[in-house]
Amino acid sequence: MTAVKGLFLTVRHLFGARKSRSTFDIRDENYFKQQQGVTTVQYPKEKMPIPEVARYQLQVDIEDCIVCDLCAKACPVDCIDIQSIKSVGVIGKTSDGSVKRLYPEKFDIDMAKCMYCGLCTVVCPTECITMTDQYDRSTSKLTDLIYGFSDMTDEEIAKRKEEWTRFQADKEAAKKK
């Protein structure tokens, strides 16, 4: 008798799967009243609606970054790797008016380690780190999940380091005189 009930249920679902539910938005008041049809989202042809408060991939606007390192310190899984180069003076301002005095030599986020807690976005004083609505960045290699946001070339890095070294040497020479 149990096998017959199971077979009946399977056949009922087989014929019910010919059509799809009309709406996929869970905020719809009739969402749970719909009992017929396929409930699986046919990804990538169909996508689920993304809530406004969702936490997905991180994005960094490097032009607004002051390289304060607060995001790396707040990260509980240590997935943010930041290295900075000191500047001899002010190098610019961010969109909110903060003064930039450090160059971002390296700003990498390892999304394979990230637990999407959002703590880095909360502590960022210039709000350059944000959570995007992208959730489908899949890959077969773990190294592809390390996103580099710094746009400095090796030549620029060498030049900025040499400028800082020269500035420090000139400062020491001025002290000895």
Side-chain angles (χ1 to χ4, degrees):
M1 190 64 172
T2 307
V4 173
K5 284 184 179 179
L7 184 60
F8 177 73
L9 183 66
T10 302
V11 170
R12 193 174 80 194
H13 280 287
L14 177 69
F15 288 110
R18 289 184 180 177
K19 63 178 185 172
S20 180
R21 288 187 181 177
S22 59
T23 181
F24 291 104
D25 195 349
I26 199 166
R27 294 172 291 193
D28 185 18
E29 59 188 48
N30 295 324
Y31 181 79
F32 292 104
K33 293 179 184 174
Q34 298 179 28
Q35 297 297 319
Q36 299 298 318
V38 177
T39 58
T40 305
V41 175
Q42 303 298 315
Y43 184 82
K45 292 185 281 184
E46 298 172 356
K47 293 185 179 180
M48 291 183 66
I50 298 171
E52 294 174 14
V53 294
R55 292 182 273 169
Y56 293 111
Q57 295 289 322
L58 292 171
Q59 180 63 39
V60 177
D61 183 9
I62 202 69
E63 298 299 321
D64 282 346
C65 182
I66 58 173
V67 199
C68 63
D69 201 30
L70 289 175
C71 55
K73 290 175 183 169
C75 182
V77 292
D78 199 28
C79 68
I80 301 174
D81 186 16
I82 299 175
Q83 294 175 3
S84 62
I85 303 170
K86 292 183 180 179
S87 167
V88 295
V90 176
I91 57 174
K93 290 192 176 191
T94 63
S95 61
D96 70 346
S98 300
V99 176
K100 294 176 70 170
R101 296 181 190 276
L102 299 170
Y103 292 103
E105 175 184 352
K106 181 179 181 183
F107 196 119
D108 294 348
I109 299 178
D110 189 350
M111 294 297 181
K113 289 182 184 178
C114 183
M115 61 185 221
Y116 305 99
C117 63
L119 291 175
C120 56
T121 63
V122 174
V123 299
C124 183
T126 60
E127 296 179 0
C128 70
I129 301 180
T130 55
M131 291 274 189
T132 65
D133 60 355
Q134 291 189 343
Y135 58 89
D136 55 355
R137 292 183 184 175
S138 60
T139 181
S140 59
K141 292 183 352 186
L142 279 177
T143 55
D144 290 344
L145 292 172
I146 299 174
Y147 298 125
F149 295 101
S150 178
D151 54 0
M152 290 185 74
T153 64
D154 291 338
E155 294 82 25
E156 284 181 294
I157 291 170
K159 179 182 173 187
R160 300 302 179 201
K161 284 183 177 181
E162 198 273 321
E163 282 177 2
W164 179 251
T165 306
R166 192 174 342 117
F167 175 74
Q168 288 294 89
D170 292 345
K171 196 173 174 182
E172 288 296 320
K175 282 183 181 178
K176 291 180 181 177
K177 289 184 180 182

